[in-house]
Amino acid sequence: MSGDLLRIENVGIAFGGLKVLTDVNLTVKQGETMGLIGPNGAGKTTLFNIVTGFLSPSHGEVVFEGNRITQTRTAQRVRMGIVRTFQKSMVFPDLSVMENLALALRARTHGYAWWRSGAALAAADAKALEILRKAGMADRAGRVVSSMSYGDQRIVDVLISLAMEPKLLLLDEPTAGLSKAEGEHLIEVIRTLCGNTSLVLVAHDLDIVFAVCDRVAVLDLGRMIACDTPDGIRAHEGAQAAYLGKGKEAVQ
Amino acid sequence: MSDTVKLQDAANGRAPAPSRQILALGVIAVLAALLPLVASDYQLRFVAEILIVGAAVLSLDLLVGYGGLVSLGHATLFGGAAYAAAVASRSLGADLTLMVGIGTLTGMVMAFITGIVVMRTIALFFLILTLIVGQIFWEIAFHWRDVTGGADGMRGLPTLSLNLGVTKLDLSSSFALYVTAAVLAFAAWAVARSFVNAPIGRALIGTRERQLRMSALGYDIARIRMMALLASGAIAGAAGSLYPFVNQYIGPNSMQWTFSAMMVVMLVIGGVGSLYGAFIGTAVYLGIQTYISSYTDRWQLVVGLIFVLTVMIMPRGIVHGVGSLFGGKGKQ
Amino acid sequence: MSFYLVQILNALSFSMLLMLTGLGLSVVLSLLNFVNLTHGSSFLLGAYVSIWWLGSGAPWWLAFPVAFLASALAGLVLERFPFRQFYTRTHLMQVLLTYGLSVIFADLMRWGFGAQIASPELPEILSGVIFVFDMPFPIYRLFIIVFGAVLALALWFVIDRTIWGAVVRACVTDRRFVETLGLDTKRIFTIVVAVAAGLGGLSGALGAGVLSAYPGLDEEQLILALIVVVVGGLGTFRGTVLSALLLGFTMTFTKVWIPEMSNVAALAIMALMLVIAPQGLVARKVRQV
Amino acid sequence: MTMKDAITRRRLIAAGGATAFAGMLGAPLIAKAANGSLRIGMVTSLSGPFAGLGEAMRDGIVMALEEYGNEIAGRRIELIVEDDQAKPDEGVRKFRKLIGQDNVDIVSGVISSAVALAVRDVVTEAEALTFISAGSANALARDAASPLVFRPTKTNWMLGHTAGLWAAEKISKTGCLTIGADYAAGREYIGDFVETYTAQGGAVGQQLWAPLGTTDFGPLLTAIASVQPEFIYSFFAGSDAVRFLRQMKDYRLHEKVKVLGGGALFDQEDVIATVKDAALGGLNTCNQSPTAPASQAFSAAYLARRGVLPGEMGTAGYVTAQVIKAALERVGGDVAAKDQLKENLLALPVDTVFGPMSFDPRNNQAILDIYVNEITESADGPVNQVIHTYQGVQDPGPTA
């Protein structure tokens, strides 16, 4: 199965008596954009937590580039190329945009350096500026993040993750709280910058998911009930019943 | 959350323009040089004490101001190093470099032990666990009578000296102690400042503000905190190593949690996250305690009121409070 | 045999004292998510008030409600200013504010009640002993055990099993929701703080019979209460009871077996608990992301 | 002019100009004593665990100075009292301040032994005339003795030793249990007691220790109840002593077991005034007793002034003034003649409310009468009643 970047095999997890995920299987291919949808409490974020190592599954395996990483620590997984964003904005509010990116870029090399090696740091900073330029934010490099609009903060949030040059980027509702236009702009930035990165996108805005994703997986009550192309999902009865059929009120 | 921000946004230390900084340093240097001309022996020694305790408070600022880790066990690092230096001085003599070396090392070892125990906790849990670990260290010092003198502490220590190869410089005079303390205080400030401005310092701020994000970026939170603790322990230890020789005495009080709490109070009064505020807070606190108490038994009321007012009116401490009065620098 | 029975009673009574001291702190933390370090001051105030009352010749049993009321009143005033401004602040800021206040109160009480140690005159009915086989055990300590158990049960019932408890808990989760039900959340917060302070005073009144009262007792009790509450897991009721029992039994039996090391042993066990369970014995499940 | 007035005057001077900051940088306004007047500095504990004791000590010295009309050997006396919080570091700072900034002629005070030891090197280096009012660590009479440090009070040994003598002779040579506070002073009292008691043929059974600041003595008292000793030798101070005695009574042990204690355990003002009848029947060896013949007049005056009979600290403050007065009068008020003052002070005993006091020339340590007190009921409540006096007890000193 060459081309498979991430394989989730029979993963399950329970908190106390509550089964949050039951026997979930999912494969993400190289360069693919995968949508992940499901009602609130379906287990989407929990799945992210398992892939990134914030949680250990009760059973099942996570395989990345052919290696089992189920027990690998988060920091190690990040170095392997698995990076995520969070539902809530997770920027560093008191640092400048530039410093936010620098923190990400230095994570792998100079994160613990005390006596700095100027050249290496300058290289990292040059790279940060490059990313900002591509995202059209170079003019705001020196701004303190907390002084920016929420939309811009979310962009910085995503840029931080992209600066890590991930192979797999897990986006947890990046567009939540944004206006339609802001959301579309954010997706635009992601698509410009992500290159060959595989994406897994959780979003409540189904229009965006169906427009952007190559395939879409549907979680309901901790079970994977469908995984297909957007058109396939639209036609899938189980998915309809679990999610779409309930209409927009499930999505709010 | 907004408090942490208010309290600590100075911690991000976007340094003021270099020229202004050099000017400030110059003014301080001139004042420091002029002080011995006007101050009496007693006052010089008092200032030396402020500088030494201030350096320890500054090292606490690394944890509180930059790491968001409020420790109630910081006095143990300071006092433990002081004991180590005092004990060593009995057999090895009190050579300055040796003492500071021993103190720094002891501070780091104790910080390391503390770190291993407290690493997984944050917030109130961190506060209480550091308190408990610190009190365990205190109990050891208090009961290890053969070495530490128990509750009576240690006195009759040799005087501090500096071996320059050719000659041996005696550092027992108030003036010499003042100069030594001033050099130490400056070095402590410089080291702490370079730490917070280095990538590790930025990463430390990152762990304070967004712990989850930092792990998602591949940072090892425990490792960053441990390095901050070690740096902090090294500075506190270096400061502690001089303390027995300035006081000519060291006792278990300097390891007790009440002293740790006093350090936190000093830090908050001076200004969290500014580094140099530590010295101002220490001076204010020790000044009140030493001078107001001559006039009234109610000096603790005064300290309490000043502290509460600081927390309520200028939570970022005197440094920022005064700064915003004069330069409007308080708001960005 | 009777030796260990009495030692167990000793441990129980000391645990009850610890639990009573921790309860008020625990209530404010769990219900309002507010760290109130003036709790030690409430304790000492209650102790002084009850000693004064018991010495005045008035009916002795009123000493406890009076101590409760005195501390509750102080809590009421404090809640209006300055606690109210600090509910939404970080724990750190709350710790700093209330610690500073406790320093002020310590000095005020020293001023008002003097620096001398004071002990209550216990009524005849509480000052006897019972004999467990041939070993004496003070009736007052039995009184503390029973009183503490009853109080803890009552509190647990009110908070966990009645509508009032539910409303207060809902306040912290979503204030606006409670207000849409037509309830005055401000008043609810005030009542909780006052009751918690009153509990501190009540435990001080009870504790004074064993501990006496003097400047500095407030701080000693505060530290014990903090350790009990935090090791128990921030303001979970069960946790506070559990860790009070743990600390009480450890301190009692280490004093029996290794008296010179008893403090170190007790501290080490509490530290171990926090290392094993960094969120406290009974952790509230909080979704991280 | 009373002493209180003098203190108020100081405050006025302070308000008049010397702000704390000016005080820090030179304090020109109060730097030099007014011509002819003599400054006595006293450091005592006005906050922290010994605050009550410190207030008593301060009142004791003020009381004596008022009686002297604020004048000794023709010189006006100015008293400056500083708070050491019972912390050695703080004590060191305050002694330095008194000597280096307030330019006092004599320093005195100190309750905690740790503070007394901590300041020893400071006053020795400054060659300051020092009178330690209460800090009673043995070391200050031994290897830490210093030429200009006088100690007009007991050493821990003097009390532990006499208790050992008394116990072996009058109580029992068997069935002894000791229980003490586990810190330096407790160790010294118990250790010295055991040494003398066993040398006199007594046999010590179980030895219990309670951490300093023990709140609950229950477990230890239950242990005592199960051993059922003949008598207990015990040392606790302050709140520990109050709790120990009260809880003894709670467990009904005070009726069954004789308690012999050292000084602070049955302190008249600090402990007995609080625990009242829980102390009855206790025995106490102490250098001070409100019922000692030398103390009669003072006890009455103190009772009238403060509403309680004097304990050790109130008396110690008073005695400090008495000794300073004797020393100054013997040199005609010339405080600069330190060697002469020392020689004259050591030459003759001083009559104090402790009793007659002479000084050991080896270490400037007072040689004192030690009273065995029994706590009995009196018109003023339970009181330390002298039942025996060991005369002229002298610490072994530097040879020990």
Side-chain angles (χ1 to χ4, degrees):
Chain A
M1 290 262 283
S2 71
D4 284 359
L5 186 64
L6 175 78
R7 272 204 321 274
I8 296 168
E9 299 174 346
N10 287 321
V11 160
I13 188 168
F15 298 129
L18 181 69
K19 281 190 175 177
V20 176
L21 288 176
T22 314
D23 295 329
V24 171
N25 286 288
L26 183 67
T27 304
V28 179
K29 296 201 182 72
Q30 194 81 51
E32 174 179 46
T33 298
M34 164 78 80
L36 185 59
I37 62 174
N40 281 330
K44 295 168 305 228
T45 299
T46 305
L47 193 61
F48 273 20
N49 283 342
I50 287 174
V51 172
T52 48
F54 281 54
L55 285 173
S56 288
S58 310
H59 58 83
E61 297 287 347
V62 180
V63 180
F64 186 71
E65 292 186 314
N67 305 310
R68 279 186 187 178
I69 57 165
T70 320
Q71 302 304 328
T72 311
R73 286 165 50 214
T74 301
Q76 186 62 34
R77 295 191 204 195
V78 174
R79 259 166 257 140
M80 294 168 79
I82 305 178
V83 171
R84 70 174 292 182
T85 67
F86 297 84
Q87 276 180 27
K88 282 193 299 185
S89 176
M90 280 278 186
V91 289
F92 304 98
D94 287 345
L95 299 182
S96 70
V97 175
M98 188 67 183
E99 281 172 319
N100 263 279
L101 285 192
L103 259 184
L105 287 165
R106 288 168 185 167
R108 276 184 269 182
T109 45
H110 307 288
Y112 309 107
W114 183 339
W115 308 108
R116 24 187 164 175
S117 87
L121 289 185
D125 289 353
K127 208 160 147 196
L129 208 58
E130 164 89 20
I131 294 171
L132 285 178
R133 207 157 32 76
K134 279 190 192 157
M137 293 187 79
D139 53 329
R140 278 160 283 180
R143 287 272 297 274
V144 176
V145 174
S146 59
S147 70
M148 302 169 81
S149 74
Y150 186 65
D152 282 352
Q153 289 193 26
R154 292 301 310 214
I155 293 181
V156 173
D157 202 345
V158 170
L159 291 183
I160 291 174
S161 301
L162 285 168
M164 307 287 295
E165 297 181 351
K167 291 175 184 157
L168 174 66
L169 179 58
L170 310 170
L171 296 158
D172 199 349
E173 301 196 28
T175 56
L178 299 185
S179 71
K180 192 96 183 162
E182 282 173 327
E184 278 164 2
H185 175 60
L186 178 63
I187 295 295
E188 189 56 41
V189 170
I190 293 171
R191 287 169 72 93
T192 322
L193 281 165
C194 75
N196 196 30
T197 303
S198 301
L199 298 178
V200 179
L201 173 65
V202 169
H204 272 144
D205 187 334
L206 297 184
D207 294 344
I208 286 185
V209 173
F210 288 137
V212 174
C213 297
D214 304 318
R215 289 192 300 152
V216 176
V218 184
L219 267 179
D220 185 35
L221 296 174
R223 289 175 190 278
M224 183 69 71
I225 53 173
C227 182
D228 206 338
T229 58
D231 290 337
I233 292 294
R234 280 198 183 97
H236 192 282
E237 272 179 31
Q240 291 265 350
Y243 194 171
L244 307 175
K246 284 180 196 160
K248 295 286 179 185
E249 76 264 20
V251 194
Q252 284 162 345
Chain B
M1 182 189 74
S2 64
D3 281 324
T4 348
V5 174
K6 259 192 243 157
L7 192 71
Q8 296 171 329
D9 59 4
N12 312 314
R14 266 170 300 282
S19 62
R20 254 181 64 193
Q21 215 174 358
I22 289 169
L23 185 71
L25 276 178
V27 171
I28 291 170
V30 170
L31 285 178
L34 288 178
L35 186 65
L37 299 178
V38 296
S40 72
D41 265 12
Y42 156 72
Q43 286 151 352
L44 276 182
R45 217 183 257 261
F46 185 57
V47 175
E49 201 178 338
I50 290 174
L51 290 170
I52 286 172
V53 176
V57 175
L58 171 139
S59 72
L60 180 63
D61 199 7
L62 279 187
L63 301 180
V64 178
Y66 296 84
L69 303 166
V70 185
S71 166
L72 268 185
H74 207 64
T76 20
L77 308 180
F78 177 79
Y83 267 117
V87 171
S89 74
R90 288 204 159 155
S91 48
L92 304 174
D95 180 64
L96 178 65
T97 42
L98 183 68
M99 291 299 107
V100 172
I102 288 173
T104 310
L105 205 67
T106 312
M108 289 177 80
V109 169
M110 291 180 65
F112 184 72
I113 297 171
T114 312
I116 287 177
V117 179
V118 303
M119 217 68 273
R120 290 174 61 210
T121 56
I122 51 164
L124 269 190
F125 298 100
F126 184 87
L127 187 90
I128 292 300
L129 196 48
T130 48
L131 170 85
I132 295 177
V133 174
Q135 280 307 89
I136 291 177
F137 279 126
W138 177 84
E139 289 274 349
I140 292 170
F142 192 80
H143 282 105
W144 200 3
R145 283 179 296 275
D146 297 341
V147 175
T148 62
D152 281 345
M154 300 170 72
R155 49 155 287 279
L157 303 168
T159 54
L160 204 59
S161 62
L162 179 59
N163 197 339
L164 291 174
V166 275
T167 61
K168 217 168 133 187
L169 217 57
D170 179 54
L171 298 179
S172 64
S173 73
S174 296
F175 175 72
L177 286 170
Y178 163 71
V179 172
T180 312
V183 170
L184 175 104
F186 178 77
W189 175 79
V191 168
R193 196 171 170 283
S194 85
F195 184 90
V196 300
N197 283 335
I200 176 72
R202 305 284 101 180
L204 185 61
I205 296 174
T207 65
R208 178 192 82 206
E209 293 188 346
R210 292 280 186 262
Q211 192 186 334
L212 278 174
R213 184 55 182 260
M214 286 303 281
S215 21
L217 289 179
Y219 281 98
D220 187 340
I221 309 280
R223 191 168 152 194
I224 294 170
R225 290 199 171 138
M226 181 60 103
M227 288 188 63
L229 251 173
L230 286 177
S232 175
I235 296 173
S241 70
L242 295 186
Y243 197 58
F245 304 103
V246 171
N247 265 349
Q248 295 170 289
Y249 173 83
I250 180 72
N253 262 106
S254 43
M255 283 181 81
Q256 213 175 357
W257 78 268
T258 45
F259 190 38
S260 304
M262 200 167 94
M263 285 187 181
V264 176
V265 171
M266 289 169 171
L267 180 58
V268 171
I269 290 180
V272 172
S274 67
L275 295 184
Y276 65 94
F279 295 103
I280 294 171
T282 310
V284 169
Y285 189 101
L286 288 182
I288 291 173
Q289 180 173 290
T290 309
Y291 287 96
I292 306 283
S293 71
S294 307
Y295 300 104
T296 168
D297 286 358
R298 299 274 82 79
W299 67 270
Q300 283 180 316
L301 196 65
V302 177
V303 171
L305 279 173
I306 290 183
F307 181 66
V308 168
L309 287 177
T310 312
V311 172
M312 290 179 63
I313 298 169
M314 30 184 203
R316 293 156 65 201
I318 288 177
V319 167
H320 300 96
V322 174
S324 63
L325 271 184
F326 290 112
K329 207 178 108 195
K331 291 241 157 66
Q332 275 170 344
Chain C
M1 180 59 203
S2 60
F3 177 76
Y4 282 101
L5 266 178
V6 174
Q7 293 295 19
I8 287 171
L9 284 176
N10 279 330
L12 264 181
S13 64
F14 189 55
S15 304
M16 278 302 168
L17 264 185
L18 287 172
M19 185 203 73
L20 283 169
T21 315
L23 270 188
L25 195 65
S26 172
V27 163
V28 181
L29 245 175
S30 62
L31 295 183
L32 310 185
N33 200 23
F34 181 73
V35 190
N36 181 5
L37 298 194
T38 63
H39 192 65
S41 316
S42 305
F43 185 95
L44 187 56
L45 180 65
Y48 276 128
V49 167
S50 77
I51 288 170
W52 165 77
W53 186 269
L54 287 172
S56 72
W60 65 268
W61 51 271
L62 275 176
F64 303 108
V66 166
F68 178 91
L69 284 177
S71 293
L73 197 67
L76 194 88
V77 175
L78 279 177
E79 200 277 339
R80 289 290 157 90
F81 179 83
F83 287 1
R84 193 169 278 177
Q85 283 76 24
F86 277 72
Y87 288 143
T88 52
R89 305 274 187 99
T90 54
H91 277 171
L92 171 62
M93 294 303 287
Q94 296 169 356
V95 163
L96 294 177
L97 173 81
T98 53
Y99 177 74
L101 288 172
S102 78
V103 171
I104 294 176
F105 294 141
D107 205 50
L108 287 178
M109 280 192 276
R110 153 98 194 272
W111 202 356
F113 297 102
Q116 291 294 337
I117 308 162
S119 280
E121 312 265 357
L122 293 183
E124 208 49 45
I125 189 174
L126 292 181
S127 53
V129 284
I130 56 153
F131 282 91
V132 180
F133 299 101
D134 54 338
M135 302 287 284
F137 186 75
I139 287 176
Y140 190 73
R141 293 190 179 216
L142 275 184
F143 174 66
I144 288 179
I145 295 177
V146 174
F147 198 109
V150 169
L151 194 70
L153 274 175
L155 217 56
W156 167 79
F157 185 80
V158 170
I159 293 172
D160 254 36
R161 288 285 179 274
T162 66
I163 182 75
W164 294 110
V167 165
V168 176
R169 273 177 287 139
C171 269
V172 188
T173 337
D174 193 343
R175 246 181 119 152
R176 273 168 306 175
F177 174 72
V178 174
E179 269 165 4
T180 57
L181 296 176
L183 292 162
D184 183 352
T185 56
K186 267 189 185 169
R187 183 168 299 165
I188 293 174
F189 276 51
T190 311
I191 291 171
V192 171
V193 169
V195 167
L199 281 175
L202 183 59
S203 46
L206 279 168
V210 175
L211 308 173
S212 303
Y214 49 90
L217 179 68
D218 47 351
E219 208 174 66
E220 290 167 28
Q221 291 300 307
L222 172 66
I223 288 301
L224 284 176
L226 258 182
I227 291 179
V228 164
V229 170
V230 170
V231 172
L234 291 190
T236 65
F237 198 71
R238 263 188 315 141
T240 304
V241 176
L242 260 180
S243 75
L245 284 170
L246 183 70
L247 188 59
F249 272 80
T250 327
M251 285 186 79
T252 300
F253 282 93
T254 49
K255 258 184 218 147
V256 176
W257 289 318
I258 40 167
E260 287 161 272
M261 298 299 288
S262 69
N263 278 349
V264 174
L267 288 169
I269 285 185
M270 293 322 252
L272 192 68
M273 288 299 127
L274 273 185
V275 171
I276 295 170
Q279 302 287 307
L281 293 176
V282 182
R284 277 185 296 193
K285 282 264 172 279
V286 183
R287 188 172 147 146
Q288 274 196 311
V289 271
Chain D
M1 158 85 42
T2 65
M3 220 34 238
K4 279 215 166 122
D5 292 336
I7 294 174
T8 327
R9 215 172 44 78
R10 257 181 67 78
R11 221 178 273 171
L12 282 177
I13 295 173
T19 62
F21 189 68
M24 215 160 125
L25 295 176
L29 289 176
I30 50 171
K32 275 288 164 221
N35 218 8
S37 82
L38 195 141
R39 293 181 158 218
I40 298 174
M42 172 172 264
V43 176
T44 188
S45 306
L46 296 170
S47 50
F50 297 152
L53 300 175
E55 285 179 358
M57 182 184 277
R58 177 171 63 180
D59 238 21
I61 195 169
V62 167
M63 192 173 154
L65 292 177
E66 279 174 11
E67 280 175 26
Y68 306 153
N70 251 339
E71 208 175 277
I72 294 176
R75 297 185 66 174
R76 262 189 51 73
I77 301 294
E78 207 177 325
L79 178 70
I80 303 172
V81 181
E82 294 280 359
D83 176 19
D84 68 14
Q85 304 174 45
K87 290 179 187 164
D89 320 37
E90 194 59 28
V92 166
R93 205 177 294 133
K94 290 293 163 62
F95 267 87
R96 285 222 170 88
K97 171 172 178 284
L98 287 173
I99 296 167
Q101 178 164 308
D102 299 332
N103 294 314
V104 298
D105 302 291
I106 289 172
V107 282
S108 67
V110 178
I111 288 172
S112 144
S113 285
V115 176
L117 286 166
V119 300
R120 186 266 179 202
D121 289 353
V122 175
V123 294
T124 305
E125 193 180 270
E127 296 182 5
L129 269 177
T130 308
F131 293 85
I132 300 293
S133 310
S136 55
N138 290 339
L140 270 180
R142 301 175 187 177
D143 58 344
S146 171
L148 289 175
V149 176
F150 300 88
R151 193 155 55 153
T153 186
K154 88 281 177 181
T155 68
N156 294 337
W157 179 88
M158 289 156 79
L159 302 193
H161 168 70
T162 47
L165 291 178
W166 182 262
E169 192 184 339
K170 301 282 173 151
I171 304 180
S172 168
K173 293 202 168 154
T174 55
C176 168
L177 178 147
T178 68
I179 179 168
D182 190 13
Y183 74 114
R187 292 269 165 184
E188 283 193 358
Y189 273 97
I190 305 275
D192 293 334
F193 165 81
V194 169
E195 197 179 284
T196 303
Y197 181 66
T198 49
Q200 298 291 317
V204 175
Q206 207 170 354
Q207 289 200 271
L208 301 173
W209 298 101
L212 195 61
T214 293
T215 46
D216 179 18
F217 286 94
L220 295 168
L221 298 180
T222 300
I224 291 175
S226 74
V227 173
Q228 299 201 325
E230 195 97 353
F231 76 101
I232 296 176
Y233 180 73
S234 171
F235 175 80
F236 291 103
S239 55
D240 280 4
V242 169
R243 283 197 281 244
F244 176 70
L245 292 175
R246 268 196 67 104
Q247 293 182 22
M248 280 286 283
K249 188 189 168 201
D250 288 349
Y251 282 75
R252 284 286 183 274
L253 287 169
H254 71 309
E255 294 163 350
K256 291 188 187 145
V257 188
K258 196 91 186 152
V259 179
L260 172 63
L265 181 65
F266 289 107
D267 189 89
Q268 185 69 41
E269 180 177 359
D270 193 41
V271 178
I272 293 184
T274 303
V275 303
K276 304 209 171 68
D277 53 350
L280 283 176
L283 287 168
N284 190 23
T285 56
C286 191
N287 56 316
Q288 178 261 346
S289 171
T291 58
S295 183
Q296 300 287 348
F298 167 71
S299 295
Y302 194 88
L303 181 64
R305 183 187 172 99
R306 281 174 65 89
V308 282
L309 284 169
E312 192 192 338
M313 292 308 152
T315 316
Y318 192 87
V319 167
T320 305
Q322 287 187 308
V323 172
I324 289 174
K325 178 166 184 270
L328 286 175
E329 280 172 352
R330 288 175 194 181
V331 289
D334 181 11
V335 76
K338 291 177 185 168
D339 292 336
Q340 191 63 41
L341 182 144
K342 175 178 176 178
E343 195 178 310
N344 295 356
L345 183 60
L346 297 191
L348 280 172
V350 184
D351 274 326
T352 72
V353 293
F354 279 158
M357 179 187 291
S358 51
F359 284 91
D360 187 335
R362 296 173 302 165
N363 51 14
N364 301 347
Q365 165 64 44
I367 299 167
L368 285 167
D369 287 358
I370 302 297
Y371 307 106
V372 180
N373 293 309
E374 182 166 18
I375 292 69
T376 55
E377 195 59 73
S378 84
D380 301 313
V383 70
N384 272 293
Q385 186 66 50
V386 179
I387 57 170
H388 181 78
T389 306
Y390 288 99
Q391 284 177 339
V393 179
Q394 182 180 19
D395 193 87
T399 54

